[in-house]
Amino acid sequence: LRLSVDILGAEYGYYIVRDAFCGPEGYMCGIPALLDRSVLDDDDSREIANWSDIVHEGLLWSSAGPKMRDLFQVNLLSERHIQKPIDGRLSLKQWILEQPGRGSVQEISQGRWLWTLTDAEMVAVRPVLCKAGWLFSCRDRVYRDLPHGGLPVVPEGA
């Protein structure tokens, strides 16, 4: 991601892990995988297409402030992202540093920052960002490094 900043001047990016069968290149470029026409596949296809529209129409940097597509383990953020208030009092950077469990943030080049999180940190932080309107996508996610994918376990009979 540092090279994308140095060479292309990138202001936003992310690193994802996605099964090859699910088309990681398409996810990034706006091309749905069209797997099985299930409800989940349709939701995925809509998210991919709608995010692509936002990027191509230049709405990523709207007057409401920059959005993130979702929260990923590695997020490349601009100064605009890192200085935007998250809770009405703290900038995102201050909020991350305020307490443990919100990942780590470091400047990498030209006012660009890497925000890195573990799966457990993403499960804790993502709902806060969704509620604050920071994320384009707030769909349920499965985290492979956590028991039950990080999803709540519903007891039998409940």
Side-chain angles (χ1 to χ4, degrees):
L1 289 174
R2 181 173 297 162
L3 283 176
S4 70
V5 171
D6 292 341
I7 295 171
L8 303 172
E11 294 187 73
Y12 176 65
Y14 44 87
Y15 169 81
I16 64 166
V17 174
R18 188 172 167 104
D19 290 332
F21 181 72
C22 296
E25 301 89 2
Y27 181 81
M28 304 287 280
C29 298
I31 303 165
L34 302 174
L35 301 172
D36 61 3
R37 300 291 187 188
S38 67
V39 171
L40 290 175
D41 185 39
D42 288 345
D43 286 348
D44 197 53
S45 294
R46 252 189 314 281
E47 176 197 334
I48 290 168
N50 290 341
W51 177 255
S52 180
D53 290 346
I54 283 177
V55 171
H56 289 107
E57 292 170 13
L59 300 176
L60 181 62
W61 307 106
S62 71
S63 60
K67 279 205 181 258
M68 296 170 60
R69 180 175 186 165
D70 203 335
L71 185 64
F72 302 95
Q73 285 183 319
V74 180
N75 304 273
L76 171 67
L77 304 176
S78 69
E79 198 70 32
R80 290 186 276 185
H81 287 102
I82 213 76
Q83 295 303 327
K84 180 180 172 185
I86 187 162
D87 64 358
R89 63 182 183 89
L90 297 175
S91 69
L92 177 62
K93 179 183 174 193
Q94 293 168 324
W95 182 83
I96 294 167
L97 297 173
E98 182 183 46
Q99 63 180 262
R102 294 179 175 168
S104 65
V105 62
Q106 65 176 341
E107 187 170 15
I108 58 165
S109 181
Q110 303 177 40
R112 305 307 192 280
W113 301 77
L114 276 186
W115 182 16
T116 56
L117 304 102
T118 65
D119 282 355
E121 289 169 336
M122 286 192 298
V123 168
V125 168
R126 193 168 175 263
V128 175
L129 293 176
C130 286
K131 185 177 179 184
W134 270 68
L135 303 181
F136 169 77
S137 177
C138 290
R139 296 173 48 221
D140 286 340
R141 299 286 185 210
V142 174
Y143 300 92
R144 295 177 185 194
D145 292 339
L146 298 176
H148 309 289
L151 299 171
V153 177
V154 178
E156 285 188 42

